[in-house]
Amino acid sequence: MPRAATNKSHAGRERLTAQAWVDAALAAIAEGGLAAVAVEPLAARLGTTKGSFYWHFSNRAALIDAALQHWEERNTEQVITTVDPEPDPERRLRDLFKTVPAAGGGDPVEVALLATAGHPQVAPVLRRVTERRVDYVTDVFTDIGFPRDEARRRGLLVYTAHLGQTQLLHAVPYVLPATEADRRRYLDTLVHTLLRPE
Amino acid sequence: MPRAATNKSHAGRERLTAQAWVDAALAAIAEGGLAAVAVEPLAARLGTTKGSFYWHFSNRAALIDAALQHWEERNTEQVITTVDPEPDPERRLRDLFKTVPAAGGGDPVEVALLATAGHPQVAPVLRRVTERRVDYVTDVFTDIGFPRDEARRRGLLVYTAHLGQTQLLHAVPYVLPATEADRRRYLDTLVHTLLRPE
DNA sequence: ACCTGAACACCGTTCAAGT
DNA sequence: ACCTGAACACCGTTCAAGT
């Protein structure tokens, strides 16, 4: 009869794939930030040894790279595909402000990464994701009718405000509008000022 | 004849004050972020031992607390006192955008702290500094003539954009306007949209 | 091909012993 | 009062030995 799969004996355990380590790393980032990607604790969580890890990855940095790459691939288009179906560009702008993390949830991995934006492995990933998004918001402003360069400026302002808002939300939540009505009024101010004609 | 002060013998070395450790910690934050506040390397830099550190502080967290407190005290009012003399509130707003880190320099400690905004010891410090500044910008908008609640919303938008810009500047510098002329135009767009009447 | 277990380096923390 | 130096724990990394 076949051996039961247990965590006690080597012969009876499933072998790990690199992907298993990547998933564990992303879970760790979501819970405790980049610093929580620690080989020894992850090994314990996966029921294996540190030695095993070093067969799949050359070091901790390589695991982080793999995790960031995986996150970038499955995340970049997420917000955009949620909002893009809306045909009216002014509404699309408004939807962006509502859908995007600011609202209250947001991808915990992204929040954790923004908290470590300066980290040498994180920075280039955020760069690419950011460019994609700023370009998208810029397009919304051109759809609204602004000339390209003015649209770019407003797109930057929007994205910049979004980043800052995410940061405030996590470092200083209570300076932000607290009640639903206040939040709506804030959104109105945002959209109203941002759409001021040239 | 008096012993020369060397780093070789205990009897001949200056004793350290807690403040010396705090200064070293702030220097480390500026250079390598919070993570660079490491007892052993700091001890080496100060020419003393880890054991000495633990006489002055109960642990690494206590040193970080002391360093953050010191930074908060001498920093909070800095930007404000630079800009406040300008009597015309619209100009003051513009000066804020120019003076504040965004321009290019900025306090490296602040930049490092923003990169670790979610850290449990950093968050409350940033909270207080942020509140002070948002309140200040809000006052600028009331001086310009906006009613208090609308001024608060625009103050938030400004501060939020400032935070995001600092972040972009360090994670994704090249999405921001690169030439002097582009930067001026960007500033014009910012001020122009933010001042749109209700 | 994939994993274990022991070993070493680095840094946080403790503490007995020194001045 | 302030400091040293040895000790221990924790985690990153290496590697010889196992299956």
Side-chain angles (χ1 to χ4, degrees):
Chain A
M1 97 183 174
R3 273 166 170 281
T6 99
N7 275 349
K8 293 289 157 82
S9 78
H10 174 191
R13 186 164 64 253
E14 295 303 316
R15 303 200 139 182
L16 290 172
T17 59
Q19 186 59 44
W21 287 98
V22 166
D23 291 341
L26 283 169
I29 291 174
E31 286 165 27
L34 245 209
V37 180
V39 178
E40 194 158 44
L42 287 185
R45 205 147 102 168
L46 290 169
T48 185
T49 61
K50 299 192 276 184
S52 164
F53 170 79
Y54 285 93
W55 194 87
H56 294 286
F57 296 91
S58 58
N59 52 33
R60 177 177 177 264
L63 172 61
I64 291 175
D65 269 337
L68 292 176
Q69 196 188 323
H70 191 247
W71 174 77
E72 182 178 357
E73 276 159 16
R74 64 145 218 260
N75 175 284
T76 316
E77 306 305 312
Q78 207 160 289
V79 175
I80 291 173
T81 50
T82 325
V83 178
D84 207 48
E86 169 61 51
D88 173 4
E90 296 203 7
R91 277 207 173 142
R92 215 147 68 227
L93 182 64
R94 208 183 181 86
D95 284 354
L96 270 176
F97 275 105
K98 281 204 287 205
T99 317
V100 154
D107 175 7
V109 174
E110 174 158 353
V111 170
L113 293 182
L114 283 171
T116 330
H119 186 283
Q121 295 179 263
V122 173
V125 175
L126 288 181
R127 180 173 70 64
R128 288 189 292 273
V129 171
T130 300
E131 272 167 22
R132 174 74 177 103
R133 292 178 183 176
V134 171
D135 287 348
Y136 182 79
V137 184
T138 300
D139 289 347
V140 174
F141 279 106
T142 59
D143 288 356
I144 290 171
F146 289 100
R148 190 123 257 290
D149 54 347
E150 178 65 21
R152 172 82 182 176
R153 275 172 235 130
R154 297 195 184 205
L156 265 178
L157 175 54
V158 164
Y159 197 72
T160 252
H162 155 62
L163 282 182
Q165 194 159 339
T166 304
Q167 200 152 300
L168 282 192
L169 206 65
H170 275 259
V172 202
Y174 88 61
V175 303
L176 290 170
T179 72
E180 190 45 55
D182 283 346
R183 261 195 295 275
R184 201 174 33 72
R185 252 174 251 125
Y186 184 55
L187 225 180
D188 288 342
T189 292
L190 243 63
V191 174
H192 179 258
T193 60
L194 288 167
L195 292 180
R196 178 175 195 180
E198 276 188 284
Chain B
M1 92 185 175
R3 274 165 169 277
T6 97
N7 276 348
K8 291 289 157 81
S9 79
H10 175 188
R13 188 166 60 252
E14 297 303 315
R15 301 201 140 183
L16 290 171
T17 58
Q19 187 59 42
W21 286 98
V22 166
D23 291 341
L26 283 169
I29 291 175
E31 284 165 29
L34 243 210
V37 180
V39 178
E40 194 158 45
L42 287 184
R45 204 148 104 170
L46 290 170
T48 185
T49 61
K50 300 193 276 183
S52 164
F53 170 80
Y54 285 95
W55 194 86
H56 293 287
F57 297 92
S58 58
N59 53 31
R60 178 177 177 264
L63 173 61
I64 291 176
D65 269 339
L68 292 176
Q69 194 189 325
H70 191 247
W71 174 79
E72 182 178 355
E73 276 160 15
R74 64 148 218 256
N75 173 285
T76 315
E77 305 304 313
Q78 207 159 289
V79 175
I80 291 175
T81 49
T82 324
V83 179
D84 206 48
E86 169 60 51
D88 173 5
E90 296 202 8
R91 278 208 170 142
R92 215 148 69 226
L93 181 63
R94 205 180 185 87
D95 284 355
L96 269 175
F97 275 105
K98 282 205 287 206
T99 316
V100 153
D107 175 8
V109 173
E110 174 158 355
V111 170
L113 294 182
L114 283 172
T116 331
H119 187 283
Q121 295 179 263
V122 173
V125 175
L126 289 181
R127 180 173 71 63
R128 288 189 293 271
V129 171
T130 301
E131 273 168 20
R132 174 74 176 103
R133 293 177 183 177
V134 171
D135 287 349
Y136 182 79
V137 184
T138 300
D139 288 346
V140 175
F141 279 106
T142 57
D143 287 357
I144 290 172
F146 289 100
R148 192 120 258 288
D149 53 347
E150 179 64 21
R152 171 80 182 178
R153 274 172 235 132
R154 297 193 185 208
L156 265 178
L157 175 53
V158 164
Y159 198 72
T160 249
H162 155 62
L163 282 182
Q165 195 158 338
T166 304
Q167 200 153 303
L168 282 192
L169 207 64
H170 275 256
V172 202
Y174 87 61
V175 304
L176 289 170
T179 72
E180 190 45 56
D182 283 346
R183 261 195 294 275
R184 203 177 26 76
R185 254 174 251 124
Y186 183 56
L187 225 180
D188 288 342
T189 291
L190 242 64
V191 174
H192 179 258
T193 60
L194 288 167
L195 292 181
R196 179 177 194 178
E198 275 189 283

